[in-house]
Amino acid sequence: MPQTLSTSDMVTPSSPGPLPTKPTDGEQAHQPLLVGAPSSASLDTLIQHLVPTADYYPEKAYIFTFLLSSRLFIEPRELLARVCHLCIEQQQLDMPVLDKARVRKFGPKLLQLLAEWMETFPRDFQEESTIGHMKDVVGRIAPCDEAYRRRMHQLLQALHQKLAALGQGPESLLCADKPIAYRTKTPASIHRELLGICSDPYTLAQQLTHVELERLRHIGPEEFVQAFVNKDPLASTKPCFSDKTKNLEAYVKWFNRLCYLVATEICMQRDPPLSPLSTSRPRVHMTQGKIGGSMCARWSFPEADAATELGCEVFMGVNTCDGERGRSRPGQEEKLACDASAYGTVSCPLWCPHGPAKKKRRAQVMEFFIDAARECFNIGNFNSLMAIVSGMNMSPVSRLKKTWAKVKTAKFFILEHQMDPTGNFCNYRTALRGAAHRSLTAHSSREKIVIPFFSLLIKDIYFLNEGCANRLPNGHINFEKFLELAKQVGEFITWKQVECPFEQDPIITHYLYTTPIFSEDGLYLASYESESPENHTEKERWKTLRDQQEALHQPGSWSKNHTE
């Protein structure tokens, strides 16, 4: 089996071989970025550089860069068809009698190219027509050595296993569109708190790392390219791709969900049931909420300044649906609207016990998340760290001044400083470089972990893509740009392939994936009931949200919302 490419393999030239062709007139052959590769060239010339011969094999850096970027100009199945056609034509594989000596030198190189392609971009081989092209060209060289046919069989087996593993996504990917019904559950099972199942912040940090690595593993390198460019202006006017970035989008939804989960856990801390008047089991009403996750022109994050400063016009804004929590009145259950819109669950009012919010308990939860975030930093899990910091900086949480007064905030201020967006996140970038260096010299699997702040990685790739043209004025492909793109994506591939050293706790990860979270309105309602509004603006917003909540739960409102 071919070895997985490391970052050094992708960006460092390997042993050069003679090129099959020279750049044509007008192609920039001076100052090549890879030995023999032009900094710009026509698509046909770049494809020719990819095709092996009896005496030539392209460098690994070139293979990865071109296979990554070529999908902006030609679909992978068409590219493979052209590569196979060139192999047949150049090696005269359609002749009745083959030059066995030359084929025996060419065959291993062809199989190596196919192996590297399938290993790094397995989703390019999901169509039967693509497999057919490979079988055809390998079948032509098999009479010279039956080992070629056996090797092809091994590659196809490994490909099917890899595609099957990629198809078995994390829990939240598989259940993203399955609403969670609480109507028949008892109140005790309706709402649990995170500290009830995980009281150790270090364990939480480890489980968050497990979730992050599991989600990253499903993101293919090609998704970074397909996320930004839908078509080549010199090619067909129709988009070349459709829905090929679902894993990238799911990872963004996970970040948003974790932000809201942190805020929900803080805002919804309540006393144990105190009222003896409610002897019967409270009723639980369900309302249908609008599912979030629609595409938009700007990254949508919780209100933490560090996240919203990105302003990266890409995709994937999570539109939460309105969830409200009603006022507590004597003799009535409180109705709490939860929303897990980032994962497609419905908005449903949940029962919560009576009693004022406990500042001390909320302060304990805040300190729990601060300790978990600090451990994420130590592990190298910067994405979960940023999500926790963002969740704690959301307005419904940051306005809880009486609660914050009980929190030892020194550690939190240090974490905020590390993720400060000032200077294009210079503090974070310094820490990331340190984690990357530790990973290269690691003596344990734990030291190898590097999970970048994902939205900033996307922003960097986005602006690289927007800042440089794909084609030069003469129509040639700007290959120099795509080498830099491949360098950044290649580093990410190395990080995401690290095996998680922590044992998974299915109870904790299930809770992280599935527990209901509040929408922004739901968080404000919980926050206002925890600590009363302090100014006219807050009072007016609280009144509006309560009125909306009461109107939502008028008789017949459930059936009306349920059928929308």
Side-chain angles (χ1 to χ4, degrees):
M1 291 295 294
Q3 294 183 350
T4 302
L5 298 181
S6 65
T7 304
S8 59
D9 289 331
M10 294 173 183
V11 300
T12 304
S14 58
S15 301
L19 288 174
T21 61
K22 296 181 180 181
T24 59
D25 292 340
E27 294 177 353
Q28 299 181 23
H30 61 285
Q31 295 182 344
L33 298 163
L34 293 175
V35 177
S39 58
S40 69
S42 65
L43 179 61
D44 289 341
T45 299
L46 293 174
I47 293 176
Q48 184 65 67
H49 277 283
L50 182 67
V51 178
T53 67
D55 302 312
Y56 162 78
Y57 187 78
E59 300 174 40
K60 289 184 178 181
Y62 182 84
I63 294 173
F64 177 75
T65 301
F66 183 65
L67 291 180
L68 177 68
S69 59
S70 64
R71 61 200 68 241
L72 298 178
F73 313 100
I74 182 173
E75 293 194 39
R77 65 173 180 272
E78 184 181 349
L79 173 61
L80 181 63
R82 291 184 62 175
V83 168
C84 292
H85 175 74
L86 286 172
C87 289
I88 294 172
E89 184 180 74
Q90 294 175 3
Q91 303 303 318
Q92 299 180 347
L93 300 180
D94 53 351
M95 299 295 291
V97 180
L98 300 179
D99 184 341
K100 293 186 177 181
R102 184 170 63 177
V103 170
R104 288 193 179 102
K105 294 175 63 178
F106 164 75
K109 294 182 174 65
L110 171 64
L111 289 167
Q112 178 63 22
L113 176 65
L114 296 176
E116 291 189 27
W117 194 339
M118 285 189 279
E119 174 68 19
T120 312
F121 302 95
R123 293 186 179 93
D124 289 353
F125 297 85
Q126 291 179 309
E127 299 183 13
E128 284 298 326
S129 59
T130 307
I131 303 296
H133 291 308
M134 291 194 304
K135 289 182 176 180
D136 176 56
V137 69
V138 173
R140 293 173 183 268
I141 64 175
C144 296
D145 193 335
E146 281 300 317
Y148 298 152
R149 202 184 304 275
R150 292 193 298 270
R151 176 60 174 152
M152 185 64 186
H153 180 69
Q154 294 172 354
L155 291 177
L156 291 177
Q157 280 188 323
L159 173 67
H160 292 322
Q161 292 174 0
K162 196 171 185 68
L163 289 175
L166 291 173
Q168 297 175 356
E171 178 177 8
S172 55
L173 272 178
L174 297 177
C175 305
D177 297 324
K178 297 180 181 179
I180 303 172
Y182 295 95
R183 201 177 183 191
T184 60
K185 294 186 178 181
T186 62
S189 65
I190 288 174
H191 185 70
R192 296 180 299 166
E193 62 178 12
L194 179 59
L195 269 69
I197 62 171
C198 179
S199 59
D200 181 13
Y202 302 103
T203 299
L204 176 61
Q206 293 175 0
Q207 295 307 304
L208 287 173
T209 302
H210 203 289
V211 171
E212 298 278 357
L213 289 173
E214 177 65 20
R215 303 199 70 90
L216 286 176
R217 195 167 291 115
H218 287 78
I219 299 176
E222 69 277 5
E223 294 191 45
F224 289 96
V225 174
Q226 293 164 343
F228 305 118
V229 181
N230 288 328
K231 61 183 180 180
D232 176 22
L234 297 185
S236 170
T237 57
K238 296 181 180 179
C240 297
F241 314 106
S242 61
D243 190 29
K244 292 187 177 181
T245 59
K246 63 179 182 180
N247 298 302
L248 207 62
E249 296 175 39
Y251 193 52
V252 176
K253 289 183 180 181
W254 158 249
F255 178 90
N256 288 348
R257 172 177 172 80
L258 183 54
C259 294
Y260 277 87
L261 175 61
V262 170
T264 299
E265 293 287 333
I266 293 171
C267 289
M268 292 318 304
Q269 292 303 314
R270 310 292 294 177
D271 276 336
L274 299 177
S275 173
L277 300 178
S278 299
T279 56
S280 61
R281 186 165 67 182
R283 291 171 295 143
V284 179
H285 304 276
M286 176 182 287
T287 58
Q288 179 70 43
K290 296 179 180 179
I291 302 301
S294 60
M295 304 292 288
C296 71
R298 183 172 292 274
W299 284 90
S300 174
F301 295 98
E303 296 178 1
D305 290 340
T308 55
E309 282 293 325
L310 293 180
C312 180
E313 296 182 2
V314 189
F315 60 91
M316 194 48 249
V318 179
N319 298 331
T320 58
C321 57
D322 292 337
E324 297 84 12
R325 179 185 172 203
R327 286 178 291 179
S328 174
R329 294 186 294 210
Q332 274 195 337
E333 316 81 81
E334 295 183 68
K335 300 178 180 66
L336 181 64
C338 292
D339 176 49
S341 60
Y343 275 61
T345 60
V346 298
S347 173
C348 54
L350 304 184
W351 173 83
C352 275
H354 295 291
K358 295 288 288 182
K359 292 185 289 294
K360 182 177 180 180
R361 180 61 172 170
R362 285 198 303 275
Q364 291 174 344
V365 176
M366 286 181 176
E367 292 184 342
F368 173 82
F369 280 118
I370 292 172
D371 288 338
R374 186 175 64 170
E375 182 62 14
C376 285
F377 178 84
N378 293 333
I379 291 173
N381 181 359
F382 297 102
N383 201 58
S384 291
L385 165 62
M386 188 60 182
I388 294 174
V389 172
S390 298
M392 297 185 71
N393 273 318
M394 291 180 71
S395 293
V397 178
S398 63
R399 65 168 298 276
L400 299 174
K401 297 178 181 178
K402 296 178 181 179
T403 304
W404 279 104
K406 296 181 177 294
V407 177
K408 299 176 182 178
T409 55
K411 292 182 291 186
F412 184 66
F413 292 155
I414 293 174
L415 295 174
E416 281 189 312
H417 177 71
Q418 290 293 336
M419 306 306 291
D420 187 351
T422 302
N424 194 17
F425 290 87
C426 62
N427 294 335
Y428 157 73
R429 292 182 188 277
T430 300
L432 180 66
R433 285 195 297 270
H437 177 74
R438 181 185 67 179
S439 179
L440 292 175
T441 59
H443 298 290
S444 66
S445 56
R446 176 181 174 129
E447 293 177 339
K448 293 181 180 179
I449 296 175
V450 182
I451 303 174
F453 174 28
F454 196 66
S455 64
L456 191 57
L457 174 65
I458 292 292
K459 186 191 96 167
D460 291 342
I461 295 176
Y462 172 78
F463 282 114
L464 172 62
N465 179 71
E466 290 296 301
C468 303
N470 290 344
R471 290 183 184 267
L472 300 181
N474 61 3
H476 292 159
I477 293 173
N478 184 3
F479 196 68
E480 183 175 1
K481 164 189 173 177
F482 294 116
L483 276 168
E484 181 59 32
L485 174 65
K487 180 179 179 180
Q488 295 192 27
V489 176
E491 192 170 39
F492 168 80
I493 291 177
T494 301
W495 294 338
K496 83 185 186 77
Q497 290 174 339
V498 172
E499 291 294 329
C500 185
F502 310 118
E503 184 177 354
Q504 182 182 19
D505 187 322
I507 297 177
I508 298 176
T509 55
H510 179 76
Y511 182 91
L512 295 172
Y513 279 136
T514 62
T515 192
I517 57 176
F518 296 111
S519 66
E520 185 177 353
D521 287 345
L523 287 172
Y524 272 110
L525 278 166
S527 179
Y528 292 148
E529 292 193 3
S530 298
E531 293 186 18
S532 300
E534 296 183 347
N535 53 53
H536 177 73
T537 302
E538 287 188 345
K539 290 177 181 178
E540 285 297 314
R541 181 166 189 174
W542 190 24
K543 181 179 182 301
T544 300
L545 292 175
R546 289 186 301 176
D547 291 343
Q548 291 175 352
Q549 192 272 343
E550 289 185 353
L552 182 65
H553 299 299
Q554 292 295 324
S557 63
W558 183 86
S559 58
K560 176 182 177 182
N561 287 279
H562 184 69
T563 56
E564 288 182 354

